[in-house]
Every structure is written in structure tokens, then in C-alpha cells.
Amino acid sequence: MPESPEIRNALFNVGKVTNTQPPRTSSIARSEHPQHSPAKDTVNLSPTSQELESVLEDISHLPEIRKDRVEQIRQALNAGTYHVSSDQIADRIIQETVRNSALLPD
């Protein structure tokens, strides 16, 4: 699945918590203003992070192993008809390396 800058930013912003009221400075301030309610934390998710959360939820329900594909490859291996070029292997290694390095923090 290609990753856009929006999805990458959403990954880093998911779950950021903001305090809706300023912090209290001392116990004296609390006793002087008993009518103030305690601070409440809120979480604001961007539409991109909400979409990412939905996609991740959908992915979590997929099987890790595609049994139909495994069986298809097994049959091709047994029949001697399964061939992958070295160029395809090299291309995939490069793609995975680039993808993984893009996810690493600087």
C-alpha cells in the first residue's frame, strides 16, 4: 500500500492529547476558585487519521496468510512452473528498503 505524506503525518499525530483548560498553579488557586471544574482532556483526530484508523481496522480482519495464494504457489513449485526473475527479486528488495527507510525517523 503506497504511503502518502498525509498518512505518514497522521501516524505521527494519532492520539495527540490537548488540555482544554490551563493548568492550575497551586493548591491555593484551587481553593480560591472552587466553582472551576477539573480540566478535561480531549483528543482531536484529523480526517486523514480517522481514515487511517478505519483502514487499519479493516486490515486487522484480513488473514495474515493467503491460503489460496500459498496453495497456488505450492502447486506451481511442485509442477516446476513457478519462476521469478532475479530482476523482480532485486526490484522488490529495493522497494522494501526504500519504503522502510522512509518510515524511519530522521
Side-chain angles (χ1 to χ4, degrees):
M1 170 170 60
E3 293 187 22
S4 67
E6 293 84 14
I7 291 178
R8 201 170 306 120
N9 287 337
L11 283 171
F12 292 114
N13 291 325
V14 168
K16 286 197 174 180
V17 177
T18 58
N19 192 329
T20 58
Q21 295 184 2
R24 300 189 184 208
T25 56
S26 71
S27 60
I28 295 172
R30 271 186 257 136
S31 64
E32 291 175 1
H33 303 289
Q35 70 275 11
H36 290 287
S37 62
K40 296 180 181 177
D41 293 334
T42 61
V43 176
N44 297 316
L45 299 178
S46 70
T48 304
S49 65
Q50 291 172 350
E51 181 179 351
L52 177 63
E53 185 177 339
S54 174
V55 169
L56 291 174
E57 176 69 22
D58 292 344
I59 290 172
S60 72
H61 297 294
L62 294 175
E64 289 188 35
I65 298 173
R66 293 180 44 204
K67 294 178 183 178
D68 59 327
R69 182 72 176 134
V70 171
E71 185 58 33
Q72 181 183 29
I73 292 171
R74 180 178 288 130
Q75 289 175 359
L77 284 170
N78 290 336
T81 59
Y82 184 77
H83 302 285
V84 179
S85 75
S86 57
D87 288 341
Q88 286 177 320
I89 295 171
D91 286 343
R92 181 62 83 146
I93 291 171
I94 291 169
Q95 288 173 1
E96 288 296 318
T97 302
V98 169
R99 182 179 299 138
N100 291 337
S101 67
L103 293 176
L104 294 174
D106 292 332

